[in-house]
Amino acid sequence: MGEQKNGAPQEQDIKQLLKVRREKLADLQGRGMDPFQITKFDVSCHSQEIKDEFDNLEGKTVTVAGRMMSKRIMGKASFCNIQDLKGNIQSYVARDSVGEESYKDFKKYDIGDIIGIRGEVFRTKTGEISIHAAEITLLAKSLQILPEKFHGLTNTDVRYRQRYTDLIMNAEVKDTFVKRSRILSSIRRYLDGQGFLEVETPMLVANAGGAAARPFQTHFNALDEDFKLRISLELYLKRLIVGGLERVYEIGRVFRNEGLDTRHNPEFTLMELYQAYTDYHGMMDLTENLYRHVAQEVLGTTTIVYNGVEMDLGKPFERITMVEAVKKYAGVDFDRIQTTEEAKALAKEKGVEFEERHKKGDILSLFFEAFAEEHLIQPTFVMDHPIEISPLTKKKPDNPDYVERFEFFMNGWEMANAYSELNDPIDQRERFKAQEELLAQGDEEANTTDEDFLNALEIGMPPTGGIGFGIDRMCMLLTDSAAIRDVLLFPTMKTLGGKDQ
């Protein structure tokens, strides 16, 4: 090995090590022992199962397979550590047990190689549960060097680009994504138990509606037409409510052409559900029960800790109107403000930036974002939004400037958005018209009129409650992950040299 700096090998040393690995593979292939020709290996146990069931498995023969993460050669006997899906386990490899030729080959195996071991479960003199190998098989040759060999895998950019290496080197990362899978399974179990049907709707759409966001655009050659990637699941799911399915949900990717930060990725997982014959109060009850169910099932508790802050899902969630929240945290009572001009004057006084097109309701929302959101740490429903920011929602019968909508907050983050859905096709057409005017004024996030959706509403949609959940943010909270990229297996990254690296 050549000279090293800070414990890391020089570049020529790494090239030499990589060359040696390829030479080892060529030698195996030349002897008719190409590991890549092996098509299967029967695994009887995972590492953690052997440890959990040691009393029953001691002295019995098992087969395990995984990646060799360490090796100690000690003459006629050696130890290695195998990492699999469930964890890792030590194996004792002795020349007299596996045979002279097999042991000779084993000594040439590299860290990162994938091997299969058949042997007897025992406990070493130091008390470590291990496998006494009787047979060892090289299942795949690693031609790269795992980063931990020299300096560990800590560079976050590399970790996101090479998630496969990240999963190998960082056990907590694997645990996060196992939990994410369990969270999704738990959500499905709960909703299926409530009589909901899981459905799938188009990702390529002519009209990307249902949310305020800028869509990605593409061209479909076969039809010679422009399409968009969906920004929401809403309008198709509501069509299914019209069709009589009554309770539907979809968990799927949506796409929004916006920035990257710790809580935003241009493609992310959204769940939307719609239930006929209920309203936004019904959606609040469902949200409360769903969050408790998932936390209890996945974490074993309804008290979660995120970044050192404890949040209690076991208590009734707070319910507050947007006007009440702004009054509480900004000291401003929008019930006393009559006109848009008054609201704009107040915004200037308080340093809240707004656009000229904004109306009183828009400015109320801006006040809420500026003064209230950050304080909503414990589970909180913020209800009754202004109509200006809610084009698909039923008006409050007693106060038509506001709508039957809530946003669910935890940790100062919006976690869900729900409505008593607008089912009046005449009102909906007017709302679309207002959105078109905003689009004409330069608002790239405004909706356009969807004639087929209006036709569905004219067929008749029952009173309906609907909600959209940000699945990635939910996973961040339940796994104590700092950024959305930490809960996305393959987050969007700037390409390097024309391709992801």
Side-chain angles (χ1 to χ4, degrees):
M1 174 86 51
E3 205 174 311
Q4 296 183 15
K5 294 180 180 179
N6 300 323
Q10 293 182 349
E11 187 176 343
Q12 61 265 33
D13 297 323
I14 294 177
K15 286 182 177 178
Q16 180 60 30
L17 290 170
L18 295 175
K19 182 171 178 284
V20 168
R21 290 196 177 207
R22 280 165 170 75
E23 289 171 351
K24 288 179 182 180
L25 175 62
D27 175 65
L28 289 167
Q29 291 170 332
R31 293 191 283 133
M33 299 173 62
D34 185 351
F36 298 121
Q37 295 295 317
I38 296 173
T39 58
K40 63 175 292 190
F41 184 83
D42 292 325
V43 175
S44 69
C45 291
H46 281 93
S47 55
Q48 191 59 44
E49 294 160 4
I50 293 170
K51 294 175 181 179
D52 292 342
E53 299 294 324
F54 176 75
D55 291 343
N56 296 325
L57 291 174
E58 186 178 14
K60 295 181 180 176
T61 297
V62 297
T63 55
V64 297
R67 192 176 299 275
M68 187 166 68
M69 300 302 289
S70 66
K71 183 174 69 167
R72 284 181 291 140
I73 302 294
M74 301 182 301
K76 298 177 183 179
S78 302
F79 286 95
C80 67
N81 194 282
I82 304 302
Q83 178 176 292
D84 61 17
L85 174 67
K86 304 291 186 180
N88 60 77
I89 193 163
Q90 178 176 271
S91 179
Y92 173 68
V93 184
R95 185 188 67 182
D96 293 345
S97 299
V98 299
E100 192 165 339
E101 283 302 310
S102 183
Y103 187 65
K104 186 178 176 182
D105 286 333
F106 168 75
K107 289 198 292 183
K108 295 179 182 178
Y109 292 172
D110 291 302
I111 303 304
D113 287 351
I114 296 174
I115 60 176
I117 293 174
R118 181 179 64 82
E120 194 174 282
V121 177
F122 78 110
R123 195 188 291 273
T124 65
K125 290 177 182 178
T126 59
E128 184 166 355
I129 294 171
S130 306
I131 300 170
H132 189 149
E135 186 180 338
I136 189 162
T137 307
L138 181 63
L139 301 173
K141 183 71 186 164
S142 175
L143 301 178
Q144 280 286 356
I145 299 169
L146 292 178
E148 188 65 19
K149 179 75 176 171
F150 298 111
H151 51 75
L153 184 62
T154 56
N155 182 298
T156 53
D157 190 69
V158 174
R159 287 178 55 205
Y160 297 143
R161 291 182 190 279
Q162 297 183 16
R163 182 67 84 187
Y164 43 89
T165 312
D166 191 24
L167 290 165
I168 294 166
M169 302 312 305
N170 296 312
E172 70 279 5
V173 172
K174 184 185 288 185
D175 181 60
T176 292
F177 288 105
V178 169
K179 278 183 181 168
R180 180 185 173 109
S181 179
R182 293 184 62 210
I183 287 165
L184 288 166
S185 296
S186 183
I187 290 169
R188 287 186 165 101
R189 268 192 298 277
Y190 179 79
L191 292 177
D192 293 348
Q194 297 294 312
F196 282 84
L197 295 172
E198 183 174 10
V199 297
E200 294 173 299
T201 61
M203 290 190 184
L204 278 175
V205 295
N207 189 337
R214 184 195 300 176
F216 287 93
Q217 301 194 51
T218 188
H219 186 76
F220 184 21
N221 292 337
L223 295 180
D224 192 23
E225 287 186 11
D226 290 333
F227 278 74
K228 298 179 178 71
L229 292 175
R230 66 185 181 187
I231 59 173
S232 158
L233 312 173
E234 179 167 349
L235 301 185
Y236 279 99
L237 291 177
K238 285 182 177 177
R239 286 167 167 89
L240 300 180
I241 295 291
V242 170
L245 293 187
E246 292 194 6
R247 296 187 182 204
V248 293
Y249 75 96
E250 181 172 8
I251 299 173
R253 282 292 172 104
V254 297
F255 309 86
R256 298 183 181 179
N257 201 347
E258 55 192 23
L260 290 161
D261 61 30
T262 56
R263 282 186 279 160
H264 293 90
N265 195 70
E267 56 173 313
F268 61 97
T269 303
L270 182 65
M271 180 179 76
E272 291 196 30
L273 64 86
Y274 293 85
Q275 179 179 339
Y277 311 114
T278 191
D279 62 1
Y280 73 144
H281 292 289
M283 292 296 101
M284 286 185 225
D285 294 340
L286 184 147
T287 301
E288 204 162 328
N289 292 332
L290 173 64
Y291 259 78
R292 283 198 194 109
H293 167 88
V294 172
Q296 187 66 52
E297 196 168 82
V298 176
L299 304 179
T301 177
T302 55
T303 300
I304 65 171
V305 178
Y306 183 83
N307 196 26
V309 178
E310 197 172 277
M311 285 165 266
D312 189 352
L313 294 165
K315 295 178 182 176
F317 295 2
E318 183 181 359
R319 303 187 181 196
I320 187 172
T321 68
M322 185 176 282
V323 169
E324 289 168 347
V326 168
K327 186 176 179 181
K328 180 176 180 179
Y329 295 109
V332 175
D333 186 355
F334 267 76
D335 281 341
R336 295 179 177 274
I337 296 170
Q338 300 301 315
T339 66
T340 294
E341 288 67 31
E342 287 179 69
K344 286 182 176 179
L346 194 61
K348 288 176 182 176
E349 179 188 323
K350 295 287 187 179
V352 175
E353 293 185 10
F354 61 90
E355 296 177 28
E356 196 53 43
R357 62 182 174 82
H358 283 152
K359 298 178 181 177
K360 174 188 165 184
D362 297 297
I363 293 169
L364 167 61
S365 178
L366 293 171
F367 266 78
F368 172 76
E369 291 172 7
F371 294 103
E373 275 191 11
E374 63 183 305
H375 298 287
L376 306 178
I377 305 301
Q378 296 303 317
T380 304
F381 295 119
V382 177
M383 309 179 295
D384 302 350
H385 292 48
I387 193 168
E388 290 89 343
I389 62 168
S390 310
L392 297 166
T393 318
K394 273 194 173 184
K395 297 173 185 174
K396 290 181 67 65
D398 58 344
N399 191 353
D401 288 341
Y402 295 89
V403 297
E404 293 193 347
R405 172 183 174 186
F406 74 80
E407 289 174 304
F408 173 49
F409 282 85
M410 285 181 68
N411 193 49
W413 302 349
E414 179 199 337
M415 305 297 294
N417 184 24
Y419 312 151
S420 295
E421 300 297 335
L422 180 61
N423 62 342
D424 178 345
I426 298 168
D427 189 355
Q428 181 64 78
R429 183 174 290 279
E430 289 301 310
R431 309 274 190 102
F432 276 141
K433 184 179 177 182
Q435 289 285 300
E436 295 272 12
E437 289 172 2
L438 291 175
L439 196 64
Q441 293 170 23
D443 184 353
E444 294 181 334
E445 296 185 347
N447 286 195
T448 55
T449 303
D450 187 329
E451 290 292 349
D452 183 72
F453 176 64
L454 288 170
N455 184 65
L457 289 187
E458 288 178 357
I459 296 291
M461 186 174 87
T464 297
I467 188 167
F469 289 89
I471 295 297
D472 304 309
R473 290 186 189 179
M474 184 181 194
C475 291
M476 286 173 67
L477 276 186
L478 295 181
T479 61
D480 198 8
S481 297
I484 191 171
R485 289 181 173 189
D486 296 326
V487 297
L488 297 175
L489 279 167
F490 300 102
T492 302
M493 305 287 288
K494 183 177 176 64
T495 56
L496 299 174
K499 64 179 182 178
D500 271 341
Q501 295 184 353

